[in-house]
Amino acid sequence: MSLSSNLTRLRLIYIDIVNIENRIYYTMAINLQRPSGSLSGSSRTESTFEQIPIINLQAAQAAHADHATKRALADEIRDACINVGFFYVKDHGIPEQVITNAVAAAKRFFALPQPAKDALDIHKSANFKGYTALLGENSNPANRGDLHEGFDIGWEDPTGASRADDGAMTGENVWPDGLPGFREAVLAYYHAAVNLGKSLFPLFALALDLPEDFFDDKTTKPAAIMRLLYYAPQTGEVDDRVEGIGAHTEIVSLRVPWMLITQCFTILWQDEVPALQVLNNDGKWIDAVPIPGTLVVNLGDQFARWTNDVFKSTVHRAVNRSGVERYSIPLFFGSDYDVKLEPLPSCVSDDCPPKYEVVTAGEYVKSRLEATYAHSQSEH
C-alpha cells in the first residue's frame, strides 16, 4: 500500500476520533451545564415516534445506585415523557407470582354471576369504589360505550385499615363475598405497584432538573387507585363506536373516574392480548404491544399541570378485536391530596409563564369526581 493511501487512512481515522470526542464533550456539556428553567421551552421533537421506548430499571433498583446511573435513567425518562408520553419498564421489581395471583383473582371475580357483581356497583359507594358494568363507561363521547368491566380499589392496609384524610376517597374498599384469597391477592399487587410508583418519583425529579427527593414530602399518602379490567372480545361486525376503552388522554373524559382524574402517571400490567394503542404526532395509532416482563407507564394530567405541559399526556385507547378475552390492571398514581399543584420551577420562565390555576390535588380530584358522579348518576 502506498504512503499516500496510508496517510489517507490515518487522516480518516483521526477525523473519526475527533468527531467521537466532540460528541462526548457535547454530551458532557449538556449534562453538566443544564441551566435552571431549561425545560420551560421544551417541546416534542419534529420526528414523530413510531415505537414506545423500553427503560430498564434494574440499576435504579439497586440499594446503592450511584447518581450517574440514576441521571442516565432520568435522561431516558425525560426523553420519553417529552416526546412520547409512554414508556415500558422492565426489571421493575414486582415478583411475577404476585402478578399471577392478582390476575387469577381478577378472572375469578369477573366470572361471578352478574347479580353478585352488581351488588358491588360503584354507584352505591360514597367513595367511588367497586364494580362497573359492561358499557357502563364511555371515554370517548363519540362512541356508544366502553366494552369492559371494572373493579376499583384504593389504599387499604393488609390488616383492613383505610386511611383518614383521603379527601373524596376517604373510606373503605368493598369486597366480594365467596372469593377466598381475592382481597389478599389484589392488595399484594396493589402495594407492590404503589412501591414501584414511589420509586419512580426520584427519577422523575432528576428528569425535571429537581433535587432527587423533591417529591418525597408530596407522596407520603399518595392517591393511588387501582382497577381490575376485563375486556370482552369484540366479535362479529365491528362497530367503531364501541371500543374496549375509547380514545382519551388521562385528562378529558367525564365518565371514566380513574383513567382521567388527577394522577401523575399510570402503571399498567396488560396480558398477552394486544389492544393498547397510542396516537403519535402524525395521527397514527402506534401499538403498545404486550412485552413479557414489562409494565407500561404513561403520564397523566397532574404531571401536565405540574410541569406546565412540558410533560404531556398522550391520546390512547384500548381496542380488543382479537376475538379473545383480555385483562389488564392499571394503577393510577397521584400525589397527596393536600399538595398544591404549582408549576415546577424548572418548567416556567419569562417566555413560558404558568398556564394553570393553582389548586390542591384534592380540590382537583373532587371537582372531577363530582362531575363524573353527577353524570353517571343521571344514567342510573
Side-chain angles (χ1 to χ4, degrees):
M1 185 176 293
S2 67
L3 178 60
S4 61
S5 296
N6 281 331
L7 288 173
T8 299
R9 288 185 61 216
L10 288 171
R11 189 179 297 112
L12 291 174
I13 292 171
Y14 173 77
I15 291 171
D16 284 342
I17 291 172
V18 169
N19 286 338
I20 291 170
E21 288 179 341
N22 285 340
R23 285 196 294 270
I24 291 172
Y25 289 137
Y26 175 78
T27 302
M28 289 174 64
I30 292 297
N31 287 334
L32 294 176
Q33 300 178 20
R34 190 180 285 113
S36 175
S38 62
L39 294 178
S40 60
S42 297
S43 61
R44 297 190 178 202
T45 56
E46 292 182 4
S47 58
T48 189
F49 66 90
E50 290 289 335
Q51 58 186 5
I52 297 168
I54 302 173
I55 297 177
N56 192 328
L57 296 180
Q58 184 176 33
Q61 299 285 349
H64 302 290
D66 59 50
H67 182 77
T69 298
K70 293 179 181 179
R71 176 74 258 177
L73 278 173
D75 286 345
E76 290 185 60
I77 288 173
R78 172 163 53 187
D79 182 69
C81 290
I82 290 175
N83 295 313
V84 184
F86 273 72
F87 56 93
Y88 296 92
V89 291
K90 61 183 294 188
D91 292 325
H92 45 70
I94 300 181
E96 191 61 35
Q97 191 59 53
V98 171
I99 298 174
T100 299
N101 292 345
V103 175
K107 291 180 178 180
R108 292 169 60 209
F109 173 78
F110 291 117
L112 288 173
Q114 193 63 42
K117 293 183 288 188
D118 288 340
L120 302 173
D121 190 287
I122 199 167
H123 299 91
K124 300 176 181 178
S125 167
N127 56 349
F128 308 97
K129 295 170 184 171
Y131 171 71
T132 303
L134 193 71
L135 299 178
E137 300 170 344
N138 191 9
S139 302
N140 185 346
N143 289 350
R144 293 198 299 112
D146 291 342
L147 197 65
H148 71 259
E149 299 176 50
F151 182 76
D152 295 27
I153 70 164
W155 191 94
E156 180 180 317
D157 188 273
T159 64
S162 59
R163 287 190 310 212
D165 303 322
D166 257 0
M169 289 308 300
T170 297
E172 297 180 353
N173 291 315
V174 296
W175 300 101
D177 295 325
L179 285 182
F182 174 81
R183 172 182 168 276
E184 292 77 9
V186 171
L187 282 179
Y189 178 79
Y190 173 89
H191 284 287
V194 166
N195 288 336
L196 171 60
K198 292 176 78 170
S199 75
L200 290 175
F201 269 107
L203 296 174
F204 280 121
L206 292 175
L208 291 162
D209 290 338
L210 299 169
E212 193 174 334
D213 61 356
F214 180 85
F215 293 108
D216 286 1
D217 63 348
K218 302 167 184 63
T219 53
T220 60
K221 295 192 299 182
I225 301 298
M226 190 174 85
R227 307 195 83 192
L228 308 178
L229 293 176
Y230 163 68
Y231 298 81
Q234 291 183 247
T235 56
E237 185 176 351
V238 172
D239 184 345
D240 286 334
R241 294 176 300 152
V242 177
E243 298 173 334
I245 293 181
H248 64 288
T249 67
E250 304 295 42
I251 302 177
V252 294
S253 166
L254 289 181
R255 294 199 192 179
V256 189
W258 305 123
M259 307 196 84
L260 49 107
I261 295 214
T262 178
Q263 82 283 14
C264 292
F265 53 87
T266 302
I267 298 172
L268 172 72
W269 175 87
Q270 56 178 341
D271 69 10
E272 69 280 1
V273 179
L276 179 62
Q277 297 180 317
V278 183
L279 192 66
N280 74 9
N281 296 343
D282 285 342
K284 177 182 177 182
W285 289 104
I286 305 299
D287 292 326
V289 296
I291 301 176
T294 69
L295 300 169
V296 178
V297 176
N298 68 280
L299 302 186
D301 59 328
Q302 185 168 337
F303 256 164
R305 291 181 73 99
W306 246 351
T307 65
N308 210 32
D309 284 336
V310 171
F311 286 179
K312 298 178 179 68
S313 188
T314 304
V315 174
H316 53 285
R317 67 183 183 182
V319 182
N320 181 20
R321 290 176 180 159
S322 63
V324 297
E325 299 174 321
R326 177 180 185 261
Y327 295 87
S328 69
I329 307 178
L331 181 131
F332 307 99
F333 202 107
S335 69
D336 297 353
Y337 284 112
D338 60 356
V339 171
K340 288 186 176 181
L341 301 183
E342 299 174 311
L344 300 174
S346 59
C347 299
V348 291
S349 66
D350 292 339
D351 295 329
C352 296
K355 299 179 180 179
Y356 299 103
E357 175 189 3
V358 176
V359 296
T360 66
E363 290 169 341
Y364 193 63
V365 169
K366 185 179 179 181
S367 67
R368 291 300 183 98
L369 282 174
E370 287 175 345
T372 300
Y373 197 54
H375 190 116
S376 57
Q377 276 285 64
S378 67
E379 299 176 352
H380 280 70

